[in-house]
Amino acid sequence: QPPRLVESLIEETRGVDIIFNQESAADITMVGESDTGRELIYHDGRGTCATWPIANYVARQLAYSSMAQNPDALDILIISMGCGNTASAFTAFPIESLDIVDLSPSVFEAAPYFELTNLGVMKDPRVTAIADDGRNYLLTTKKRYDIIQIELPSIHTAGVVNLYTREFYEIARKKLKPGGILSQWLDVNQTGREVGYMLLNTMLEVFPDTTVWSNK
């Protein structure tokens, strides 16, 4: 394979300079930089989060809306690290622990590149990084949480669909404390109305008190 083949393709298609590139058993994780900021990019060219104001705003709103529903939450679990912007928002509250699970260990290594918006969240002593599959982690952990925050890529991303199922929600519910909540971001722009309703109906089967929050 020619040197920097993947990086060169990403740089050309996305108009960025690759400043971080790390391969793991799960994927290849890159950080692209342009005049507008930095973006976390996977090997297929899929961007997942960024330092752009709108991306930071949306990510932080996930934490704020969850805490609004459970303001006394102490123990938080985030499934899917991204840039760490959502995690950073949680640490602004008087929580006791914040566990972050991501299939790719490389995202934790990339976190320092996003300190403009994640404010160095990985340095917070309450934060624990866990490189594991979110479903498997919930199956094996004995810990229970006040909030389980799921911030997955869109459902069409390979492998992600298993964390949008009734079976997964049933596993997650068993790991919630009394009064605990599960919060999940849905990319309604890419899933469309029909799939969006299907996902909501699936969640309602396990969490009948589900509410939908939108910034539109």
PDB file of all heavy atoms in Angstrom, residues 165-193:
ATOM      1  N   THR A 165     -31.868  -1.707  18.777  1.00  0.00           N
ATOM      2  CA  THR A 165     -32.841  -2.791  18.833  1.00  0.00           C
ATOM      3  C   THR A 165     -33.543  -2.876  20.185  1.00  0.00           C
ATOM      4  O   THR A 165     -33.032  -2.378  21.199  1.00  0.00           O
ATOM      5  CB  THR A 165     -32.154  -4.141  18.564  1.00  0.00           C
ATOM      6  OG1 THR A 165     -31.209  -4.401  19.618  1.00  0.00           O
ATOM      7  CG2 THR A 165     -31.434  -4.134  17.225  1.00  0.00           C
ATOM      8  N   ARG A 166     -34.686  -3.543  20.194  1.00  0.00           N
ATOM      9  CA  ARG A 166     -35.411  -3.758  21.449  1.00  0.00           C
ATOM     10  C   ARG A 166     -34.567  -4.565  22.429  1.00  0.00           C
ATOM     11  O   ARG A 166     -34.542  -4.281  23.631  1.00  0.00           O
ATOM     12  CB  ARG A 166     -36.715  -4.507  21.171  1.00  0.00           C
ATOM     13  CG  ARG A 166     -37.598  -4.698  22.420  1.00  0.00           C
ATOM     14  CD  ARG A 166     -38.737  -5.634  22.123  1.00  0.00           C
ATOM     15  NE  ARG A 166     -38.219  -6.970  21.836  1.00  0.00           N
ATOM     16  CZ  ARG A 166     -38.892  -7.889  21.152  1.00  0.00           C
ATOM     17  NH1 ARG A 166     -40.073  -7.607  20.646  1.00  0.00           N
ATOM     18  NH2 ARG A 166     -38.363  -9.080  20.951  1.00  0.00           N
ATOM     19  N   GLU A 167     -33.849  -5.547  21.926  1.00  0.00           N
ATOM     20  CA  GLU A 167     -33.025  -6.371  22.797  1.00  0.00           C
ATOM     21  C   GLU A 167     -31.949  -5.544  23.505  1.00  0.00           C
ATOM     22  O   GLU A 167     -31.668  -5.744  24.692  1.00  0.00           O
ATOM     23  CB  GLU A 167     -32.368  -7.494  21.985  1.00  0.00           C
ATOM     24  CG  GLU A 167     -33.327  -8.560  21.479  1.00  0.00           C
ATOM     25  CD  GLU A 167     -34.131  -8.121  20.257  1.00  0.00           C
ATOM     26  OE1 GLU A 167     -33.808  -7.058  19.669  1.00  0.00           O
ATOM     27  OE2 GLU A 167     -35.084  -8.821  19.894  1.00  0.00           O
ATOM     28  N   PHE A 168     -31.352  -4.610  22.764  1.00  0.00           N
ATOM     29  CA  PHE A 168     -30.338  -3.754  23.386  1.00  0.00           C
ATOM     30  C   PHE A 168     -30.967  -2.847  24.435  1.00  0.00           C
ATOM     31  O   PHE A 168     -30.403  -2.658  25.527  1.00  0.00           O
ATOM     32  CB  PHE A 168     -29.625  -2.908  22.338  1.00  0.00           C
ATOM     33  CG  PHE A 168     -28.715  -1.876  22.941  1.00  0.00           C
ATOM     34  CD1 PHE A 168     -27.518  -2.245  23.534  1.00  0.00           C
ATOM     35  CD2 PHE A 168     -29.072  -0.534  22.944  1.00  0.00           C
ATOM     36  CE1 PHE A 168     -26.688  -1.294  24.108  1.00  0.00           C
ATOM     37  CE2 PHE A 168     -28.244   0.417  23.520  1.00  0.00           C
ATOM     38  CZ  PHE A 168     -27.053   0.034  24.099  1.00  0.00           C
ATOM     39  N   TYR A 169     -32.112  -2.267  24.134  1.00  0.00           N
ATOM     40  CA  TYR A 169     -32.765  -1.392  25.102  1.00  0.00           C
ATOM     41  C   TYR A 169     -33.135  -2.156  26.376  1.00  0.00           C
ATOM     42  O   TYR A 169     -33.074  -1.606  27.481  1.00  0.00           O
ATOM     43  CB  TYR A 169     -34.007  -0.759  24.488  1.00  0.00           C
ATOM     44  CG  TYR A 169     -33.718   0.188  23.350  1.00  0.00           C
ATOM     45  CD1 TYR A 169     -34.528   0.236  22.218  1.00  0.00           C
ATOM     46  CD2 TYR A 169     -32.625   1.053  23.404  1.00  0.00           C
ATOM     47  CE1 TYR A 169     -34.265   1.102  21.173  1.00  0.00           C
ATOM     48  CE2 TYR A 169     -32.345   1.927  22.362  1.00  0.00           C
ATOM     49  CZ  TYR A 169     -33.165   1.940  21.251  1.00  0.00           C
ATOM     50  OH  TYR A 169     -32.890   2.804  20.219  1.00  0.00           O
ATOM     51  N   GLU A 170     -33.502  -3.413  26.238  1.00  0.00           N
ATOM     52  CA  GLU A 170     -33.836  -4.227  27.412  1.00  0.00           C
ATOM     53  C   GLU A 170     -32.598  -4.435  28.285  1.00  0.00           C
ATOM     54  O   GLU A 170     -32.677  -4.415  29.516  1.00  0.00           O
ATOM     55  CB  GLU A 170     -34.421  -5.567  26.975  1.00  0.00           C
ATOM     56  CG  GLU A 170     -35.823  -5.430  26.385  1.00  0.00           C
ATOM     57  CD  GLU A 170     -36.329  -6.721  25.762  1.00  0.00           C
ATOM     58  OE1 GLU A 170     -35.497  -7.623  25.519  1.00  0.00           O
ATOM     59  OE2 GLU A 170     -37.545  -6.826  25.519  1.00  0.00           O
ATOM     60  N   ILE A 171     -31.457  -4.634  27.633  1.00  0.00           N
ATOM     61  CA  ILE A 171     -30.200  -4.771  28.378  1.00  0.00           C
ATOM     62  C   ILE A 171     -29.881  -3.471  29.105  1.00  0.00           C
ATOM     63  O   ILE A 171     -29.532  -3.465  30.293  1.00  0.00           O
ATOM     64  CB  ILE A 171     -29.048  -5.147  27.428  1.00  0.00           C
ATOM     65  CG1 ILE A 171     -29.275  -6.540  26.837  1.00  0.00           C
ATOM     66  CG2 ILE A 171     -27.701  -5.081  28.150  1.00  0.00           C
ATOM     67  CD1 ILE A 171     -28.333  -6.869  25.693  1.00  0.00           C
ATOM     68  N   ALA A 172     -30.020  -2.357  28.388  1.00  0.00           N
ATOM     69  CA  ALA A 172     -29.693  -1.050  28.964  1.00  0.00           C
ATOM     70  C   ALA A 172     -30.610  -0.718  30.139  1.00  0.00           C
ATOM     71  O   ALA A 172     -30.150  -0.173  31.157  1.00  0.00           O
ATOM     72  CB  ALA A 172     -29.790   0.027  27.893  1.00  0.00           C
ATOM     73  N   ARG A 173     -31.878  -1.047  30.028  1.00  0.00           N
ATOM     74  CA  ARG A 173     -32.818  -0.710  31.099  1.00  0.00           C
ATOM     75  C   ARG A 173     -32.437  -1.387  32.411  1.00  0.00           C
ATOM     76  O   ARG A 173     -32.595  -0.808  33.492  1.00  0.00           O
ATOM     77  CB  ARG A 173     -34.237  -1.103  30.695  1.00  0.00           C
ATOM     78  CG  ARG A 173     -35.272  -0.770  31.753  1.00  0.00           C
ATOM     79  CD  ARG A 173     -36.668  -0.697  31.234  1.00  0.00           C
ATOM     80  NE  ARG A 173     -37.576  -0.193  32.254  1.00  0.00           N
ATOM     81  CZ  ARG A 173     -38.783   0.272  32.019  1.00  0.00           C
ATOM     82  NH1 ARG A 173     -39.247   0.321  30.777  1.00  0.00           N
ATOM     83  NH2 ARG A 173     -39.544   0.706  32.997  1.00  0.00           N
ATOM     84  N   LYS A 174     -31.919  -2.589  32.329  1.00  0.00           N
ATOM     85  CA  LYS A 174     -31.514  -3.323  33.537  1.00  0.00           C
ATOM     86  C   LYS A 174     -30.323  -2.671  34.227  1.00  0.00           C
ATOM     87  O   LYS A 174     -30.063  -2.940  35.403  1.00  0.00           O
ATOM     88  CB  LYS A 174     -31.184  -4.764  33.179  1.00  0.00           C
ATOM     89  CG  LYS A 174     -32.385  -5.577  32.714  1.00  0.00           C
ATOM     90  CD  LYS A 174     -31.964  -6.983  32.304  1.00  0.00           C
ATOM     91  CE  LYS A 174     -33.161  -7.774  31.795  1.00  0.00           C
ATOM     92  NZ  LYS A 174     -32.764  -9.137  31.343  1.00  0.00           N
ATOM     93  N   LYS A 175     -29.593  -1.823  33.501  1.00  0.00           N
ATOM     94  CA  LYS A 175     -28.424  -1.168  34.069  1.00  0.00           C
ATOM     95  C   LYS A 175     -28.720   0.250  34.546  1.00  0.00           C
ATOM     96  O   LYS A 175     -27.806   0.992  34.913  1.00  0.00           O
ATOM     97  CB  LYS A 175     -27.284  -1.139  33.045  1.00  0.00           C
ATOM     98  CG  LYS A 175     -26.852  -2.515  32.574  1.00  0.00           C
ATOM     99  CD  LYS A 175     -26.368  -3.390  33.729  1.00  0.00           C
ATOM    100  CE  LYS A 175     -25.961  -4.768  33.230  1.00  0.00           C
ATOM    101  NZ  LYS A 175     -25.468  -5.637  34.325  1.00  0.00           N
ATOM    102  N   LEU A 176     -29.985   0.636  34.546  1.00  0.00           N
ATOM    103  CA  LEU A 176     -30.378   1.948  35.053  1.00  0.00           C
ATOM    104  C   LEU A 176     -30.783   1.852  36.518  1.00  0.00           C
ATOM    105  O   LEU A 176     -31.437   0.892  36.931  1.00  0.00           O
ATOM    106  CB  LEU A 176     -31.542   2.505  34.243  1.00  0.00           C
ATOM    107  CG  LEU A 176     -31.242   2.960  32.809  1.00  0.00           C
ATOM    108  CD1 LEU A 176     -32.535   3.301  32.086  1.00  0.00           C
ATOM    109  CD2 LEU A 176     -30.293   4.159  32.812  1.00  0.00           C
ATOM    110  N   LYS A 177     -30.417   2.857  37.285  1.00  0.00           N
ATOM    111  CA  LYS A 177     -30.888   2.949  38.654  1.00  0.00           C
ATOM    112  C   LYS A 177     -32.371   3.334  38.653  1.00  0.00           C
ATOM    113  O   LYS A 177     -32.905   3.791  37.628  1.00  0.00           O
ATOM    114  CB  LYS A 177     -30.098   4.029  39.403  1.00  0.00           C
ATOM    115  CG  LYS A 177     -28.614   3.773  39.554  1.00  0.00           C
ATOM    116  CD  LYS A 177     -27.986   4.936  40.313  1.00  0.00           C
ATOM    117  CE  LYS A 177     -26.497   4.850  40.386  1.00  0.00           C
ATOM    118  NZ  LYS A 177     -25.894   6.006  41.114  1.00  0.00           N
ATOM    119  N   PRO A 178     -33.053   3.195  39.772  1.00  0.00           N
ATOM    120  CA  PRO A 178     -34.437   3.687  39.852  1.00  0.00           C
ATOM    121  C   PRO A 178     -34.494   5.168  39.486  1.00  0.00           C
ATOM    122  O   PRO A 178     -33.714   5.983  39.992  1.00  0.00           O
ATOM    123  CB  PRO A 178     -34.793   3.467  41.333  1.00  0.00           C
ATOM    124  CG  PRO A 178     -33.936   2.315  41.756  1.00  0.00           C
ATOM    125  CD  PRO A 178     -32.634   2.506  41.001  1.00  0.00           C
ATOM    126  N   GLY A 179     -35.367   5.494  38.561  1.00  0.00           N
ATOM    127  CA  GLY A 179     -35.479   6.868  38.091  1.00  0.00           C
ATOM    128  C   GLY A 179     -34.477   7.235  37.013  1.00  0.00           C
ATOM    129  O   GLY A 179     -34.472   8.362  36.523  1.00  0.00           O
ATOM    130  N   GLY A 180     -33.620   6.273  36.633  1.00  0.00           N
ATOM    131  CA  GLY A 180     -32.619   6.535  35.604  1.00  0.00           C
ATOM    132  C   GLY A 180     -33.240   6.658  34.223  1.00  0.00           C
ATOM    133  O   GLY A 180     -34.358   6.191  33.977  1.00  0.00           O
ATOM    134  N   ILE A 181     -32.511   7.291  33.307  1.00  0.00           N
ATOM    135  CA  ILE A 181     -33.021   7.494  31.952  1.00  0.00           C
ATOM    136  C   ILE A 181     -31.994   7.044  30.916  1.00  0.00           C
ATOM    137  O   ILE A 181     -30.788   7.033  31.169  1.00  0.00           O
ATOM    138  CB  ILE A 181     -33.387   8.973  31.682  1.00  0.00           C
ATOM    139  CG1 ILE A 181     -32.122   9.849  31.687  1.00  0.00           C
ATOM    140  CG2 ILE A 181     -34.413   9.472  32.679  1.00  0.00           C
ATOM    141  CD1 ILE A 181     -32.358  11.246  31.132  1.00  0.00           C
ATOM    142  N   LEU A 182     -32.499   6.661  29.770  1.00  0.00           N
ATOM    143  CA  LEU A 182     -31.671   6.413  28.593  1.00  0.00           C
ATOM    144  C   LEU A 182     -31.978   7.501  27.578  1.00  0.00           C
ATOM    145  O   LEU A 182     -33.148   7.788  27.301  1.00  0.00           O
ATOM    146  CB  LEU A 182     -31.949   5.027  28.007  1.00  0.00           C
ATOM    147  CG  LEU A 182     -31.157   4.667  26.736  1.00  0.00           C
ATOM    148  CD1 LEU A 182     -30.757   3.196  26.756  1.00  0.00           C
ATOM    149  CD2 LEU A 182     -31.961   4.963  25.475  1.00  0.00           C
ATOM    150  N   SER A 183     -30.938   8.116  27.050  1.00  0.00           N
ATOM    151  CA  SER A 183     -31.096   9.180  26.062  1.00  0.00           C
ATOM    152  C   SER A 183     -30.305   8.807  24.816  1.00  0.00           C
ATOM    153  O   SER A 183     -29.140   8.430  24.907  1.00  0.00           O
ATOM    154  CB  SER A 183     -30.587  10.507  26.637  1.00  0.00           C
ATOM    155  OG  SER A 183     -30.636  11.539  25.659  1.00  0.00           O
ATOM    156  N   GLN A 184     -30.952   8.914  23.656  1.00  0.00           N
ATOM    157  CA  GLN A 184     -30.284   8.517  22.408  1.00  0.00           C
ATOM    158  C   GLN A 184     -30.505   9.561  21.325  1.00  0.00           C
ATOM    159  O   GLN A 184     -31.622  10.025  21.095  1.00  0.00           O
ATOM    160  CB  GLN A 184     -30.803   7.163  21.934  1.00  0.00           C
ATOM    161  CG  GLN A 184     -30.101   6.641  20.691  1.00  0.00           C
ATOM    162  CD  GLN A 184     -30.304   5.152  20.490  1.00  0.00           C
ATOM    163  OE1 GLN A 184     -31.109   4.524  21.165  1.00  0.00           O
ATOM    164  NE2 GLN A 184     -29.570   4.575  19.566  1.00  0.00           N
ATOM    165  N   TRP A 185     -29.395   9.923  20.670  1.00  0.00           N
ATOM    166  CA  TRP A 185     -29.467  10.849  19.544  1.00  0.00           C
ATOM    167  C   TRP A 185     -29.923  10.099  18.298  1.00  0.00           C
ATOM    168  O   TRP A 185     -29.418   9.019  17.977  1.00  0.00           O
ATOM    169  CB  TRP A 185     -28.092  11.463  19.303  1.00  0.00           C
ATOM    170  CG  TRP A 185     -28.011  12.313  18.060  1.00  0.00           C
ATOM    171  CD1 TRP A 185     -28.531  13.553  17.880  1.00  0.00           C
ATOM    172  CD2 TRP A 185     -27.343  11.979  16.831  1.00  0.00           C
ATOM    173  NE1 TRP A 185     -28.245  14.021  16.616  1.00  0.00           N
ATOM    174  CE2 TRP A 185     -27.509  13.068  15.950  1.00  0.00           C
ATOM    175  CE3 TRP A 185     -26.626  10.863  16.398  1.00  0.00           C
ATOM    176  CZ2 TRP A 185     -26.994  13.086  14.668  1.00  0.00           C
ATOM    177  CZ3 TRP A 185     -26.103  10.872  15.122  1.00  0.00           C
ATOM    178  CH2 TRP A 185     -26.286  11.975  14.265  1.00  0.00           C
ATOM    179  N   LEU A 186     -30.885  10.674  17.589  1.00  0.00           N
ATOM    180  CA  LEU A 186     -31.359  10.101  16.330  1.00  0.00           C
ATOM    181  C   LEU A 186     -31.113  11.095  15.206  1.00  0.00           C
ATOM    182  O   LEU A 186     -31.518  12.253  15.292  1.00  0.00           O
ATOM    183  CB  LEU A 186     -32.857   9.774  16.403  1.00  0.00           C
ATOM    184  CG  LEU A 186     -33.289   8.718  17.412  1.00  0.00           C
ATOM    185  CD1 LEU A 186     -34.805   8.538  17.361  1.00  0.00           C
ATOM    186  CD2 LEU A 186     -32.594   7.386  17.146  1.00  0.00           C
ATOM    187  N   ASP A 187     -30.466  10.628  14.161  1.00  0.00           N
ATOM    188  CA  ASP A 187     -30.190  11.471  12.998  1.00  0.00           C
ATOM    189  C   ASP A 187     -31.386  11.419  12.055  1.00  0.00           C
ATOM    190  O   ASP A 187     -31.398  10.680  11.074  1.00  0.00           O
ATOM    191  CB  ASP A 187     -28.923  10.978  12.302  1.00  0.00           C
ATOM    192  CG  ASP A 187     -28.503  11.887  11.159  1.00  0.00           C
ATOM    193  OD1 ASP A 187     -29.199  12.891  10.911  1.00  0.00           O
ATOM    194  OD2 ASP A 187     -27.487  11.588  10.509  1.00  0.00           O
ATOM    195  N   VAL A 188     -32.415  12.204  12.366  1.00  0.00           N
ATOM    196  CA  VAL A 188     -33.655  12.128  11.595  1.00  0.00           C
ATOM    197  C   VAL A 188     -33.467  12.638  10.171  1.00  0.00           C
ATOM    198  O   VAL A 188     -34.217  12.255   9.262  1.00  0.00           O
ATOM    199  CB  VAL A 188     -34.786  12.911  12.292  1.00  0.00           C
ATOM    200  CG1 VAL A 188     -35.146  12.257  13.606  1.00  0.00           C
ATOM    201  CG2 VAL A 188     -34.382  14.363  12.524  1.00  0.00           C
ATOM    202  N   ASN A 189     -32.480  13.491   9.951  1.00  0.00           N
ATOM    203  CA  ASN A 189     -32.260  14.008   8.603  1.00  0.00           C
ATOM    204  C   ASN A 189     -31.827  12.909   7.641  1.00  0.00           C
ATOM    205  O   ASN A 189     -32.188  12.922   6.456  1.00  0.00           O
ATOM    206  CB  ASN A 189     -31.202  15.117   8.631  1.00  0.00           C
ATOM    207  CG  ASN A 189     -31.696  16.370   9.319  1.00  0.00           C
ATOM    208  OD1 ASN A 189     -32.867  16.715   9.210  1.00  0.00           O
ATOM    209  ND2 ASN A 189     -30.817  17.034  10.046  1.00  0.00           N
ATOM    210  N   GLN A 190     -31.038  11.953   8.141  1.00  0.00           N
ATOM    211  CA  GLN A 190     -30.557  10.885   7.272  1.00  0.00           C
ATOM    212  C   GLN A 190     -31.415   9.623   7.342  1.00  0.00           C
ATOM    213  O   GLN A 190     -31.485   8.876   6.377  1.00  0.00           O
ATOM    214  CB  GLN A 190     -29.108  10.538   7.641  1.00  0.00           C
ATOM    215  CG  GLN A 190     -28.123  11.654   7.341  1.00  0.00           C
ATOM    216  CD  GLN A 190     -26.684  11.187   7.361  1.00  0.00           C
ATOM    217  OE1 GLN A 190     -26.353  10.128   6.843  1.00  0.00           O
ATOM    218  NE2 GLN A 190     -25.817  11.977   7.969  1.00  0.00           N
ATOM    219  N   THR A 191     -32.069   9.383   8.471  1.00  0.00           N
ATOM    220  CA  THR A 191     -32.886   8.175   8.574  1.00  0.00           C
ATOM    221  C   THR A 191     -34.219   8.323   7.848  1.00  0.00           C
ATOM    222  O   THR A 191     -34.765   7.350   7.332  1.00  0.00           O
ATOM    223  CB  THR A 191     -33.166   7.815  10.041  1.00  0.00           C
ATOM    224  OG1 THR A 191     -33.829   8.924  10.674  1.00  0.00           O
ATOM    225  CG2 THR A 191     -31.884   7.519  10.793  1.00  0.00           C
ATOM    226  N   GLY A 192     -34.764   9.527   7.826  1.00  0.00           N
ATOM    227  CA  GLY A 192     -36.058   9.735   7.192  1.00  0.00           C
ATOM    228  C   GLY A 192     -37.202   9.457   8.139  1.00  0.00           C
ATOM    229  O   GLY A 192     -37.044   8.863   9.211  1.00  0.00           O
ATOM    230  N   ARG A 193     -38.394   9.871   7.756  1.00  0.00           N
ATOM    231  CA  ARG A 193     -39.569   9.765   8.613  1.00  0.00           C
ATOM    232  C   ARG A 193     -39.930   8.313   8.939  1.00  0.00           C
ATOM    233  O   ARG A 193     -40.174   7.962  10.094  1.00  0.00           O
ATOM    234  CB  ARG A 193     -40.766  10.458   7.942  1.00  0.00           C
ATOM    235  CG  ARG A 193     -42.041  10.453   8.782  1.00  0.00           C
ATOM    236  CD  ARG A 193     -43.176  11.122   8.018  1.00  0.00           C
ATOM    237  NE  ARG A 193     -42.870  12.519   7.762  1.00  0.00           N
ATOM    238  CZ  ARG A 193     -43.216  13.511   8.587  1.00  0.00           C
ATOM    239  NH1 ARG A 193     -43.878  13.248   9.701  1.00  0.00           N
ATOM    240  NH2 ARG A 193     -42.924  14.757   8.281  1.00  0.00           N
TER     241      ARG A 193
END
